């Protein structure tokens, strides 16, 4: 089976021949992949290089924890990959949404609809866990929706502000 | 023995822990080592927490929000009476520094494992604390009186010169505190500090303090018994902070030599004596680049970072607290206290260092702790535990010991790598960046370092994109194969569940 896998803006074409061998971007690797009885724990011997990882599927992505670093990996099989190519954009937009990372209360909103913002600009302050947390713009663009006002209480993952890029 | 200032010391055999999480576990362990029975209390969220499961008795005290459970004095005292607990250890946070709680314990004939109510009261009021310790000859940072209105503070700041700090009289842990570098930012900062202080403490009185730049946060751990003996257990270096939340602490400090340690220690002892302090406490100092030090505040409780002092002195601070509360004399004199080796603590928090350190909530799915020589982990979480917005975001304290600072740092690097925690984002990558940074390795940092000059962008060591891609693909491949074989039902003479477990066994 052939897969198209991307992580941190790097793409890999991975072909799995059988359990002990795969080909990554044309290069052949001998592997030994074992899952531990503990949920999520896996051991990989990659040309005898030993890597232990925690692997979990979350919201359609694979989260892989190796040596303290968390990698978010997208894996598509050939069919999903071709479909995505045909649709043009592989990932649905939503990259301009500012989400509440946790439940809390909005203390201040520093943008309004029509404002031009730069990536990293402060858009709102969310109070949660007794701390004021600054929420920042994920990209440059124009504010198209502001769904909260000071005093709003928000659930986790609620969309607070939408920023559309102007390309 | 009962004192006028709200101190009761007496032998006790059963203790209530008015706290949760890792610190409840820490206290429980000290109690069990001394043969003291333990009583836990828990909110709705904490039924399965380890402090409940490991204690001898446990009592439900209400809903998850702390103000309806862990902060309700009457509920705690009720459980103490019901269970026959003769003493209460408050841990840190919650009721630990509420003088009225300490007094209420004593009024009910219960030993409060901490200082006299009067000492908590005086040190808890920042202004009264400053005046009291200044009278005892302790150097303090210049600042304004409290209770000035905004205009008066703005005028005072102009005289004092910027930068200044806006601080809440009732503040602590960085809440209601704002640094201000330019006069035009002061009105907003005062408003924000008042708002935060009102929300956190129900009191919006603030004051200004001159900001000491390039300062280090150095604190002195004290132990005082009820017989008038006070000793210091050396210093902790706590300069690595973000928004006044400590992230990494170590003992000893890179910049404190034996002479400075003695001088800071003696001043700290004088500050404690000024309030007839008893039990464990900490004096926080700012140390400027010319090695002048200024009293910041006294923490009248056990601190989060106490383990680093335990590791370099060999003294179990929580056990000593229990002995002191039982009315015993200190077992050590100042000369007995020797600093040996080096200890570093990293606070592992549920927050995303790659996204402005936003807190992360969710269920911990995997938690495999590092271990081996020189590694200690104090934690209250476990797989299945949910990080909620009700309590603070600390997952654990990872503490490493070495003969030298270098050895401790290398151990920490190894331990961070071994730590497997999944389900929420953690700041482990922050710590990994820190222990690799040149400034950390050479000990050149101050309290502004994390916020102003530290970056998560520099890559550290090798990255593992290829391995991550392969692992995720293999996991997806297996899942896909299992799914496709499960769908083909009917063609098989056995249930899909049986088939799946056979399939998994075949592949072991």
């Amino acid at each position: 089976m052939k897969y198209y896998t991307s992580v941190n803006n790097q793409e890999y074409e991975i072909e799995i021949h059988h359990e002990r061998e795969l080909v990554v971007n044309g290069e052949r690797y001998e592997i030994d992949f074992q899952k531990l009885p503990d949920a999520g724990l896996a051991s990989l011997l990659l040309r005898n290089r030993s890597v232990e990882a925690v692997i979990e599927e979350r919201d359609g992505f694979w989260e892989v924890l190796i040596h303290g670093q968390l990698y978010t990996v997208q894996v598509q099989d050939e069919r999903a990959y071709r479909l995505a190519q045909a649709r043009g954009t592989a990932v649905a937009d939503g990259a301009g949404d500012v989400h509440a990372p946790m439940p809390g209360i909005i203390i201040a909103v520093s943008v309004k609809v029509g404002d031009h913002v730069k990536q990293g600009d402060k858009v709102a302050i969310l109070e949660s866990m007794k701390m004021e947390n600054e929420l920042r713009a994920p990209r440059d663009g124009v504010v198209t929706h502001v769904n909260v006002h000071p005093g709003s209480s928000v659930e986790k993952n609620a969309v607070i502000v939408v920023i559309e890029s102007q390309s | 023995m009962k004192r006028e200032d709200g101190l009761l010391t007496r032998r006790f055999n059963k203790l209530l822990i008015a706290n949760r999480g890792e610190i409840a576990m820490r206290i429980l362990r000290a109690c069990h080592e001394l043969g003291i029975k333990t009583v836990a209390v828990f909110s709705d969220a904490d039924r399965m927490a380890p402090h409940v499961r490991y204690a001898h008795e446990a009592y439900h005290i209400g809903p998850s929000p702390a103000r309806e459970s862990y902060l309700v004095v009457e509920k705690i005292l009720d459980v103490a009476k019901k269970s026959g607990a003769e003493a209460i250890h408050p841990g840190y946070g919650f009721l630990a520094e509420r003088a009225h709680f300490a007094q209420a314990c004593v009024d009910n004939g219960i030993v409060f494992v901490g200082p006299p109510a009067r000492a908590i009261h005086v040190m808890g009021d920042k202004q009264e604390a400053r005046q009291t310790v200044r009278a005892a000859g302790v150097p303090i940072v210049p600042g304004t009186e409290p209770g000035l209105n905004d205009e008066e503070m703005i005028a005072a700041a102009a005289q004092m010169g910027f930068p200044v700090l806006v601080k809440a009289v009732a503040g602590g842990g960085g809440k209601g505190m704002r640094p201000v570098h330019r006069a035009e930012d002061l009105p907003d900062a005062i408003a924000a500090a008042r708002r935060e202080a009102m929300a956190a403490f129900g009191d919006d009185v603030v004051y200004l303090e001159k900001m000491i730049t390039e300062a280090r946060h150095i604190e002195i751990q004290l132990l005082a018994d009820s017989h008038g003996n006070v000793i210091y257990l050396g210093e902790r270096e706590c300069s690595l902070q973000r928004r006044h939340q400590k992230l990494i602490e170590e003992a000893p400090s890179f910049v404190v030599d034996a002479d400075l340690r003695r001088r800071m220690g003696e001043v700290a002892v004088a500050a404690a004596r000024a309030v007839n302090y008893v039990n464990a406490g900490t004096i926080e100092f700012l140390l400027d680049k010319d090695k002048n030090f200024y009293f910041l505040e006294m923490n009248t409780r056990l601190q989060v970072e106490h383990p680093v002092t335990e590791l370099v002195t060999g003294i179990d601070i929580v056990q000593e607290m229990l002995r002191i509360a039982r009315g015993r004399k200190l077992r050590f004199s100042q000369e007995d206290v020797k600093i040996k080796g080096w200890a570093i603590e990293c606070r592992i928090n549920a927050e995303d260092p790659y996204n402005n350190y936003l807190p992360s909530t969710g269920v911990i799915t995997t938690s495999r702790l590092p271990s081996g020589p020189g590694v200690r982990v104090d934690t209250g979480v476990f797989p299945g535990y949910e990080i909620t917005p009700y309590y603070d975001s600390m997952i654990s304290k990872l503490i490493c010991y070495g003969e030298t600072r270098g050895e401790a740092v290398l151990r920490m690097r190894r331990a961070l790598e071994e730590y497997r925690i999944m389900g929420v984002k953690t700041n482990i990558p922050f710590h990994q960046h820190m222990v690799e940074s040149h400034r950390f390795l050479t000990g050149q940092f101050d309290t502004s370092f994390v916020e102003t000059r530290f970056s998560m962008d520099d890559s550290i060591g090798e990255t593992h994109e290829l391995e991550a891609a392969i692992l995720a693909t293999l996991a997806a491949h297996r899942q896909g194969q299992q799914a496709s074989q499960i769908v083909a039902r009917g063609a098989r003479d056995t249930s899909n569940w049986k088939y799946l477990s056979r399939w998994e066994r075949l592949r072991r």
Side-chain angles (χ1 to χ4, degrees):
Chain A
M1 284 268 297
K2 197 189 247 186
Y3 295 90
Y4 296 85
T5 301
S6 60
V7 52
N8 290 352
N9 296 322
Q10 295 186 48
E11 296 240 0
Y12 300 90
E13 206 178 289
I14 299 178
E15 216 170 321
I16 299 178
H17 288 169
H18 49 83
E19 284 280 315
R20 303 303 297 261
E21 186 186 283
L22 45 72
V23 176
V24 183
N25 295 343
E27 195 177 339
R28 191 182 303 274
Y29 288 88
E30 194 184 301
I31 58 156
D32 183 353
F33 176 65
Q34 301 292 336
K35 292 189 87 165
L36 277 79
D38 240 38
L41 267 173
S43 168
L44 173 71
L45 300 181
L46 182 67
R47 289 178 175 164
N48 299 101
R49 207 146 52 78
S50 175
V51 184
E52 187 178 78
V54 188
I55 311 174
E56 276 176 18
E57 193 182 9
R58 196 181 292 269
D59 306 327
F61 290 87
W62 292 86
E63 293 195 332
V64 183
L65 181 79
I66 303 174
H67 289 184
Q69 297 282 324
L70 186 67
Y71 299 90
T72 303
V73 186
Q74 189 184 32
V75 183
Q76 293 177 305
D77 62 19
E78 241 177 321
R79 195 172 133 267
Y81 183 74
R82 302 265 172 254
L83 271 173
Q85 297 291 98
R87 271 203 306 270
T89 49
V91 202
D93 210 5
D97 295 354
V98 179
H99 293 274
M102 55 197 313
I105 293 168
I106 298 293
I107 300 198
V109 182
S110 34
V111 294
K112 55 185 186 310
V113 171
D115 282 0
H116 290 253
V117 292
K118 290 248 174 274
Q119 183 181 347
D121 282 358
K122 186 167 84 182
V123 299
I125 300 177
L126 172 73
E127 192 189 86
S128 192
M129 288 186 178
K130 300 181 190 164
M131 294 288 290
E132 293 192 1
N133 303 292
E134 290 182 351
L135 304 181
R136 294 171 180 279
R139 65 173 173 200
D140 297 355
V142 175
V143 176
T144 57
H145 295 82
V146 176
N147 301 332
V148 295
H149 54 80
S152 301
S153 87
V154 292
E155 293 299 314
K156 187 177 178 177
N157 290 330
V159 177
I160 288 170
V161 169
V162 179
I163 295 155
E164 265 176 27
S165 65
Q166 298 172 286
S167 49
Chain B
M1 185 196 74
K2 192 169 173 175
R3 266 180 16 187
E4 277 302 295
D5 61 353
L7 180 80
L8 173 65
T9 52
R10 168 157 44 74
R11 191 174 165 79
F12 51 83
N13 297 305
K14 193 178 204 180
L15 177 141
L16 183 151
I17 301 163
N19 217 302
R20 62 181 301 284
E22 66 88 17
I23 200 61
M25 284 301 288
R26 173 71 189 90
I27 295 162
L28 180 148
R29 286 176 168 141
C31 287
H32 292 185
E33 285 161 12
L34 293 176
I36 298 168
K37 294 262 187 255
T38 50
V39 179
V41 292
F42 63 97
S43 70
D44 286 350
D46 283 336
R47 168 61 187 88
M48 292 309 288
H51 76 278
V52 174
R53 292 184 277 128
Y54 283 63
H56 292 112
E57 294 172 37
Y59 295 81
H60 178 246
I61 51 164
S64 304
R67 64 179 179 283
E68 295 171 50
S69 48
Y70 297 104
L71 283 171
V72 184
V73 172
E74 299 73 40
K75 287 185 177 179
I76 306 285
L77 292 176
D78 272 357
V79 172
K81 286 178 205 156
K82 217 185 315 179
S83 64
E86 305 146 282
I88 294 181
H89 196 309
Y92 54 69
F94 295 140
L95 296 169
E97 290 174 285
R98 310 275 174 111
H100 66 93
F101 178 63
Q103 188 65 52
C105 290
V106 173
D107 291 346
N108 283 278
I110 298 164
V111 174
F112 177 79
V113 183
R118 178 75 199 146
I120 301 177
H121 172 78
V122 172
M123 287 304 188
D125 181 320
K126 293 224 166 112
Q127 287 300 323
E128 209 177 330
R130 281 161 60 93
Q131 283 155 12
T132 306
V133 301
R134 185 163 56 182
V138 175
I140 60 168
V141 181
T144 72
E145 299 297 307
L148 301 184
N149 65 31
D150 291 14
E151 287 71 35
E152 289 166 336
M153 272 193 276
I154 289 163
Q159 285 198 339
M160 224 175 345
F162 286 85
V164 298
L165 268 181
V166 186
K167 290 177 110 172
V169 169
K175 281 160 205 131
M177 177 141 68
R178 282 283 186 286
V180 183
H181 295 268
R182 302 177 308 174
E184 56 263 43
D185 297 334
L186 188 55
D188 281 354
I190 292 173
R194 283 196 197 277
R195 202 168 52 223
E196 223 173 86
M198 194 60 176
F201 316 109
D203 176 358
D204 71 352
V205 178
V206 298
Y207 65 100
L208 298 184
E209 212 172 75
K210 175 105 181 106
M211 197 164 134
I212 310 289
T213 52
E214 292 177 61
R216 285 175 179 255
H217 177 124
I218 308 283
E219 58 188 33
I220 302 286
Q221 174 70 54
L222 298 172
L223 283 180
D225 66 20
S226 55
H227 305 273
N229 304 303
V230 188
I231 61 170
Y232 56 91
L233 305 186
E235 78 281 5
R236 288 187 289 261
E237 160 72 70
C238 308
S239 300
L240 293 171
Q241 315 181 344
R242 189 181 162 275
R243 295 168 72 180
H244 300 285
Q245 297 290 327
K246 295 166 187 167
L247 291 163
I248 300 180
E249 301 99 341
E250 51 186 299
S253 165
F254 211 76
V255 292
V256 176
D257 58 22
D259 175 58
L260 183 57
R261 179 172 305 128
R262 185 185 49 76
R263 285 190 291 128
M264 292 180 83
E266 284 170 0
V267 166
V269 168
R273 287 194 187 281
V275 292
N276 297 314
Y277 199 82
V278 176
N279 218 305
T282 298
I283 308 284
E284 296 190 339
F285 291 106
L286 279 182
L287 180 69
D288 73 16
K289 54 180 185 296
D290 303 317
K291 306 272 174 91
N292 300 306
F293 56 92
Y294 306 90
F295 173 86
L296 264 183
E297 62 179 19
M298 180 170 198
N299 294 314
T300 55
R301 55 167 158 84
L302 178 64
Q303 285 195 266
V304 174
E305 60 272 27
H306 74 275
V308 291
T309 300
E310 295 187 321
L311 293 184
V312 296
T313 59
I315 294 173
D316 184 318
I317 293 172
V318 183
Q319 283 197 8
E320 292 309 317
M321 291 182 81
L322 297 168
R323 289 196 177 93
I324 290 166
R326 282 173 153 186
R328 306 262 290 273
K329 278 191 178 151
L330 283 177
R331 299 185 299 160
F332 317 95
S333 66
Q334 192 59 57
E335 292 68 47
D336 298 330
V337 179
K338 297 271 186 295
I339 308 294
K340 182 174 182 293
W342 211 287
I344 301 177
E345 170 179 282
C346 288
R347 296 194 191 188
I348 310 300
N349 295 333
E351 59 189 24
D352 182 2
Y354 292 107
N355 188 11
N356 202 26
Y357 299 87
L358 279 174
S360 174
T361 54
V363 176
I364 305 273
T365 49
T366 302
S367 174
R368 286 231 166 165
L369 306 180
S371 60
V375 177
R376 165 174 164 182
V377 187
D378 282 17
T379 185
V381 314
F382 52 93
Y385 175 90
E386 185 174 3
I387 305 277
T388 65
Y390 299 119
Y391 311 116
D392 70 42
S393 61
M394 196 168 78
I395 292 172
S396 67
K397 307 185 304 204
L398 173 56
I399 310 127
C400 290
Y401 177 83
E403 285 295 315
T404 61
R405 186 170 189 268
E407 200 178 297
V409 171
L410 292 174
R411 274 218 168 110
M412 183 59 78
R413 188 168 73 178
R414 185 269 290 174
L416 287 165
E417 227 180 73
E418 275 184 17
Y419 209 146
R420 317 252 189 275
I421 189 145
M422 198 74 151
V424 294
K425 300 246 168 58
T426 78
N427 64 351
I428 287 175
F430 162 83
H431 292 299
Q432 291 181 310
H433 275 77
M434 185 56 81
V435 299
E436 297 285 339
S437 80
H438 175 72
R439 278 182 172 271
F440 179 76
L441 293 173
T442 54
Q444 294 170 6
F445 48 80
D446 61 27
T447 53
S448 69
F449 175 57
V450 174
E451 284 175 270
T452 59
R453 273 163 294 159
F454 177 75
S455 166
M456 291 292 295
D457 296 340
D458 316 328
S459 68
I460 45 157
E462 47 178 346
T463 57
H464 302 274
E465 272 88 6
L466 173 68
E467 291 86 344
I470 290 173
L471 281 157
T473 308
L474 286 164
H477 178 70
R478 273 204 184 175
Q479 193 190 54
Q481 284 199 324
Q482 292 175 1
S484 69
Q485 286 168 23
I486 287 168
V487 173
R489 200 191 166 155
R492 248 191 323 275
D493 58 346
T494 182
S495 83
N496 274 328
W497 288 112
K498 276 189 194 157
Y499 185 77
L500 181 60
S501 80
R502 271 185 215 163
W503 190 90
E504 291 226 294
R505 253 178 285 140
L506 272 176
R507 251 144 255 264
R508 276 214 184 129

